[in-house]
Amino acid sequence: MTKIRIMGGAPVASGVPPLRLRVAHVDQANTVLTASDGDLWPSAWADDGALYAAAGDGTGFARHVWSDIVVNRIDGHPETGLTGERLSDGDAVAPIWQPGSFNRKPTGMVAVDGNGDSRDELYLAVQDLRMPDAVGGFDEAPTATVVRSDDYGRTWTWPRDPMFSDHVFTTIMFLDLGQSNGGSPWVYAYGIDGNWRTSFAKLVNDPTRLFLARVPAASVQDRATWEFVSAFEADGTPAWSRDITRRIPVLVDERRFYPTPAFGNGAHDFTCIAQGSVVWNPGLGRYLYSTWSEYTFEFFEAPAPWGPWRLLHSHDFGHFPWHGPRSPLAKHGGYAPTMPSKFISPDGRDLWLQSNWFVPASSRGGRAYCFGLRRVRFDPGQAAVTAASGNLARCLDASPLVSRVREGHESVLADGRRDIAEDSAFGPGSGEDVWGYEWPSPRRFDRIVYAPGPQDSLGGWFADGPRVEVRVDGRWMPVLRVTVKPPYRNDFTALEEDEYVFTFAPVTADGVRLTGTAGGPLRYTSISELEVWAPASSPAGRPGPDRRSPS
């Protein structure tokens, strides 16, 4: 049974409303690339203003000398340019506790002045991960520890023995509270058991539970001082225990993504509790957990580090093949997504997400296997209605709302052209298909014009519906008494029509979508244009490709 269970205490959950977004947008591909090589890149923003990040399996910010772990310094900002320097690597950073079948992978980093010398120490969580040339490569992480640097990443020390073992709390992600740990006397760490993501070979159970620990900033490497959330009080605050066997999860997500294998890729049935990052966003007043399944990004939000955690947004990139970030058809997801606090805008609405994609990372358009960033927009917007006329899809602040797009061109929905089309990434996806828009404030409209894509006997049409739904006060609801001309036929002949006009009584909403089950042997829908018309606006007066309606 597909479900999400949230742990965190009902009193807090009832007292703190969910973070409501009117626009949630994630770029379809990395748009900022760097002269680097590697993956994972957990990072920390230190007191000297630099971002420190550790890469796995690459050369880092250097052209040569591959290592399974590389520590780097990164300066600059995505808008103005990023530069990096390789600082340390391999055996100088961390040991391999079980050499032979395992190598080192960085999972979390924090910068904090725990000894009071007015200089940050760097702490890096490193796990043993099964090597790719072994049976079940990348499919279990039995051991982890935390290494320390007192000279901003150039030299490192570690405890004599692993800090975590027996597959328990072995994927460690430090909470990013901002520069120098936000000045907090505590360092918080989230942990996952078993593996850093779905265990394809099932050597361990797939991760579905996220745990939380804290440790005084002065004793991060002293395992005896770590405390784990072990219960919740009546008011929703956590109780802590130094006994790791008493830990309870702060988030449980038992959903499964892409249950059916596709196009020769046997991996399927992914979970989304995985290595990513948790960051404090002061502008939004929320903690954000960015994570992933194989083909999706998943975002959760909470008012406190321990919750209550709620699903905020999902972004589905569709199954492989993907296209590299320099391709004109750029579209790719990635793994281990992080959102560095250094790059969050003051109002919290604009963020940069870092993630990597390895296979086939060297596809047309270049590599995505580097420290690369893409824009994320999480906008609560405003409740006041914005007066607008004409085709509201062409408003400057309209954001496409899609289930997934095969070639990454969300702009097709509102580019004013009927000769360019997109589809919903043909193949066995998950959930219903969606084509629509959202705005940062409510709009009034009474008509939708849907132009499907080219005819295809393998798919492209809706097997049921499509239904018109609108979002009002954060809730999606069906629009009643909708008239469709011409009537929509739920088979391949639906693609023979140039357009379908959906009319209904005027509604005021900050989102609208057409949704239904995809049809055809490959189960996808197609689209060349989606128009949303304000009352008394004539479709005959559609603006051309270079004109937009006022917001």
Side-chain angles (χ1 to χ4, degrees), residues 19 36 50 81 132 225 239-240 284 311 364 429 462 500 520 538:
L19 175 62
S36 61
T225 64
W240 302 87
L284 298 181
L311 182 64
R364 175 186 176 195
F462 286 94
Y500 293 90
S538 170

Side-chain angles (χ1 to χ4, degrees), residues 14-31:
S14 62
V16 180
L19 175 62
R20 181 182 300 171
L21 299 177
R22 287 187 165 87
V23 174
H25 178 82
V26 180
D27 278 358
Q28 290 287 351
N30 289 350
T31 57

Side-chain angles (χ1 to χ4, degrees), residues 332-392:
H332 64 89
Y335 50 90
T338 62
M339 295 192 292
S341 60
K342 183 179 179 180
F343 303 145
I344 298 177
S345 66
D347 64 6
R349 301 184 184 196
D350 292 294
L351 308 92
W352 290 90
L353 182 140
Q354 185 283 138
S355 67
N356 314 106
W357 159 44
F358 184 74
V359 181
S362 296
S363 69
R364 175 186 176 195
R367 292 159 52 90
Y369 191 67
C370 67
F371 186 86
L373 299 169
R374 72 186 72 196
R375 290 183 183 272
V376 172
R377 175 79 175 177
F378 287 156
D379 191 352
Q382 60 185 23
V385 178
T386 296
S389 60
N391 179 10
L392 306 183

Side-chain angles (χ1 to χ4, degrees), residues 288-313:
L288 303 177
Y289 172 37
S290 54
T291 183
W292 59 291
S293 68
E294 187 75 6
Y295 300 135
T296 73
F297 286 159
E298 304 293 316
F299 301 89
F300 296 85
E301 60 92 6
W306 44 85
W309 289 96
R310 303 179 178 94
L311 182 64
L312 179 67
H313 180 62

